[in-house]
């Protein structure tokens, strides 16, 4: 069997890309051909990357940015050229570019639609994309979500529940003891560390996590890893509330740093506020390091299905 996954970006940064990448590595490790076609982030020139004998990533340069969505039109011609080589095309949604490329490829084989999230905030984009999304839902042989809650509650999938299923995301975390642990411990000596990790964007709800520090004493330290468009705004919020002693934005983190902070923290907090957060891989990464989680109960999202209240943590 030969599989092509289509969607999202390279280098790997977000949760959807990580799912694609992990599936590609897992299948190719079993000698199943599994390639990936995606757009580049703005700082990547595009490339063809051969990971192993059974896995290749085709990275197409991004040329257009519309409604916070990056588009790589050359994905269309690339998919038309290679689609016939695959038994299954695995589309990762939401990604209008991937859907358009599939539509114009005239591919006749099996299609798996991986429904990671509804399109929520980008209402203008959704109005334009809706006919294509409806076609993709109808065209797909099976639609796979990450939790039963999300795909059952999505208004877009109500009429196709007979071909909807779910596969929870898995992670394979590095269990070695990080060489950075002692450095982190010494920097936050005798502190109870609350760790959070993700892009600094609105749906992550970091403003509420920051404001919560007002109700903690100085024995607590909130550490937020990741970068994004709200970095300056969140830092200003920290400054205005005199919370620099209790809250710190860590910025971009290497894999080794992420491992160290997971291992050192006392708990992990997911403060997301919208169902754009459909699963939150960071929750199961924290679980893999044996850390309890405080997360939010977001209607129609799978977040509190992943972190079960009073079992693996607390939902609020």
């Amino acid at each position: 069997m030969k599989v092509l996954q289509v969607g999202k970006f390279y280098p790997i940064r977000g949760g959807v890309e990580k799912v694609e990448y992990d599936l590609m590595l897992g299948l190719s490790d079993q000698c199943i051909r599994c390639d990936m076609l995606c757009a580049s982030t703005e700082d990547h020139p595009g490339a063809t990357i051969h990971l192993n004998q059974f896995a290749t990533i085709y990275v197409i340069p991004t040329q257009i940015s519309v409604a916070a969505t990056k588009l790589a039109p050359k994905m269309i011609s690339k998919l038309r050229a290679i689609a016939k080589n695959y038994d299954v095309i695995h589309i990762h949604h939401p990604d209008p570019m991937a859907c358009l490329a599939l539509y114009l490829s005239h591919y006749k084989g099996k299609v798996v639609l991986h429904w990671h999230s509804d399109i929520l905030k980008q209402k203008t984009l959704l109005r334009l994309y809706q006919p294509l999304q409806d076609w993709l839902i109808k065209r797909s042989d099976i639609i796979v979500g990450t939790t039963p809650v999300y795909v059952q509650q999505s208004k877009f999938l109500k009429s196709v529940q007979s071909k909807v299923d779910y596969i929870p995301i898995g992670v394979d975390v590095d269990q070695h003891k990080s060489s950075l642990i002692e450095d982190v411990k010494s920097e936050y000596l005798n502190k109870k560390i609350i760790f959070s990790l993700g892009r600094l964007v609105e749906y992550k709800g970091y403003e509420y996590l920051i404001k919560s520090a007002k109700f903690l004493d100085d024995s607590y330290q909130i550490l937020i890893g990741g970068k994004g468009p709200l970095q300056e705004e969140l830092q200003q919020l920290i400054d205005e509330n005199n919370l620099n002693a209790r809250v710190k934005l860590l910025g971009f983190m290497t894999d080794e740093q992420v491992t160290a902070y997971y291992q050192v923290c006392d708990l992990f907090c997911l403060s997301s506020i919208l169902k754009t957060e459909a699963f939150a891989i960071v929750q199961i990464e924290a679980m893999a390091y044996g850390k309890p989680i405080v997360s939010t109960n977001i209607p129609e999202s799978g977040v509190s299905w992943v972190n079960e209240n009073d079992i693996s943590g607390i939902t609020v």
Side-chain angles (χ1 to χ4, degrees), residues 174-190:
D174 191 348
Q175 295 287 1
H176 84 282
K177 187 175 180 180
S178 172
S179 60
L180 303 176
I181 282 180
E182 296 309 319
D183 292 339
V184 177
K185 283 183 176 178
S186 62
E187 186 173 355
Y188 305 104
L189 198 61
N190 299 322

Side-chain angles (χ1 to χ4, degrees), residues 17-29:
E17 294 96 316
K18 190 174 189 318
V19 170
E20 285 184 85
Y21 192 75
D22 286 349
L23 285 172
M24 181 171 54
L25 291 182
L27 288 169
S28 63
D29 192 49

